[in-house]
Each structure stands twice: as C-alpha cells, then as structure tokens.
Amino acid sequence: MKSLIVCLIVVTLSVTLVVSKKYEKDKKPAWAKKDIRDFDDADLERLFDQWEEDEEPLPADELPEHLRPPSETKSFPFDKVGSLSPDEIMKMTKKGKSVMMFINVDGAPTRDQTDTLTSLWQSALRNNHIQAERYVIEDNRAIFMFNDGSQAWDAKEFLLEQEGLLSITLEGQTHNGRKVKGPVPEKDQKKEL
C-alpha cells in the first residue's frame, strides 16, 4: 500500500513538472527576469494580467461601471422628450449609473448631530426601497451615494421636505430645503439660469 502511494505521488509530480508552462531564460520578458521583491506596480499589474488571461471574462453586471456595455434593450424615448420634465429625463439617463448627492444640514450642527440626522434620512429612504450609502464629510455636510442614479431624484424630493436640511446639490444643481428656518447663505442659494 505504501509503495502504491509513493508511486502515485512520484507520477503526479512528474506529470506536473512536464506539463507546466515554463519560459526559457532568453524568452522571458525583461520584467519577468527580475526578483519578485524588486517588482514595481507596473510589473505586478502585468503579472496580474497574465494570470487573468486564463480566466473567464466577468459577466456584464459584475464589471466596474465604466467597463459595462451600454444597455441595448432600453433605448431612450426621444419622441417623449417634450412631455417629460428635466427631472424625469435625468432619472432615465442615470438609471443603473452611480450618482452622488451632496447634502448641507441647517444650522451649526456637530459632526455627531449631522451623522445622526443623515442616518435617520438614510433609514427612511431604505424603508422606501431607495438604497443610498452615506458619508459624513464635514460637521454640516454629507454625501449620499446612489448605485442606481434614478433613485437620487426620488430621494431629492423626499429630502427637500425634511426639517434640518439646508440644501442639496445633485448633478451640479443646488436645491434649497423647503423647511429652512433662517435665511439661506449666498453660497448655498439656488443658482438661477
């Protein structure tokens, strides 16, 4: 029995050594001749690309957003553009794309107060099936990140009605909160076109 196991191991190692792909020293690219400890980022990227050559390509829904093919099944309805509002057009064009919304909180809250308030808004949005990631970036400022950009405009309408919201900036347009208690600072006022 022991001799059978030893023979099996020897045969397996022999097959592995014979079948494995090896470069001859003179055929290796220059970056592959270096010691692994001397590799820089570009060399590691080439090595990673070489490993991935044998892999199956990722499905379209698992690719990063910038590498996804445009959806061919949904074409933009140009015949309805005249009857749609600008918000409805933006919802249609941003469907499936990431969108960031910048939120300014009214007053002079602390970072913890901003975190608590935006957390409540995020929970309310999730209860309404709107998925948003929340990042507090300053004492009175936060970012909501929507993986499906079409949800950002529904969230905007909800958030504008909330107490404590000073303004929202979405796709370069600033919208003032509807329940602001004091005057809106000039830098946060809605820009007229």
Side-chain angles (χ1 to χ4, degrees):
M1 182 70 177
K2 274 187 168 180
S3 63
L4 181 63
I5 292 174
V6 171
C7 287
L8 185 61
I9 291 173
V10 169
V11 169
T12 305
L13 287 173
S14 300
V15 169
T16 305
L17 291 173
V18 169
V19 174
S20 64
K21 180 180 176 183
K22 290 198 172 203
Y23 285 104
E24 295 176 22
K25 290 259 185 200
D26 55 340
K27 291 186 179 179
K28 280 187 180 180
W31 66 269
K33 293 178 186 175
K34 289 197 265 184
D35 187 88
I36 189 77
R37 293 171 288 189
D38 296 329
F39 276 20
D40 58 7
D41 289 341
D43 296 332
L44 290 174
E45 188 66 32
R46 284 189 216 104
L47 182 62
F48 180 69
D49 290 341
Q50 187 180 24
W51 285 343
E52 285 202 338
E53 284 176 1
D54 299 333
E55 298 282 329
E56 292 181 19
L58 289 173
D61 62 337
E62 292 182 17
L63 287 171
E65 185 177 329
H66 67 281
L67 295 177
R68 291 182 195 152
S71 71
E72 299 170 10
T73 57
K74 298 177 184 175
S75 61
F76 190 78
F78 289 105
D79 56 337
K80 296 181 181 178
V81 170
S83 63
L84 297 174
S85 71
D87 284 349
E88 290 171 333
I89 293 172
M90 290 300 289
K91 280 172 71 172
M92 291 173 64
T93 58
K94 296 297 181 177
K95 180 135 182 84
K97 297 180 181 176
S98 297
V99 172
M100 288 191 307
M101 175 188 293
F102 296 89
I103 296 175
N104 293 318
V105 178
D106 195 14
T110 64
R111 192 173 190 91
D112 289 336
Q113 291 171 333
T114 300
D115 186 45
T116 303
L117 188 59
T118 56
S119 175
L120 288 172
W121 294 340
Q122 181 185 26
S123 296
L125 290 171
R126 285 197 176 159
N127 287 340
N128 200 25
H129 305 287
I130 297 175
Q131 298 299 316
E133 297 299 320
R134 175 182 52 90
Y135 307 98
V136 177
I137 55 175
E138 292 179 16
D139 287 349
N140 66 337
R141 196 165 164 91
I143 295 175
F144 276 34
M145 177 77 169
F146 299 90
N147 288 331
D148 182 5
S150 64
Q151 293 181 337
W153 278 264
D154 295 330
K156 176 193 83 166
E157 291 304 317
F158 167 76
L159 290 171
L160 288 176
E161 296 296 328
Q162 302 306 307
E163 286 191 28
L165 179 88
L166 180 64
S167 65
I168 291 175
T169 303
L170 178 63
E171 291 294 309
Q173 294 184 341
T174 301
H175 307 276
N176 295 327
R178 296 184 182 124
K179 295 186 178 180
V180 177
K181 292 182 181 176
V184 178
E186 263 188 53
K187 68 175 187 166
D188 292 324
Q189 285 183 354
K190 187 174 181 179
K191 297 172 185 163
E192 298 295 326
L193 298 178

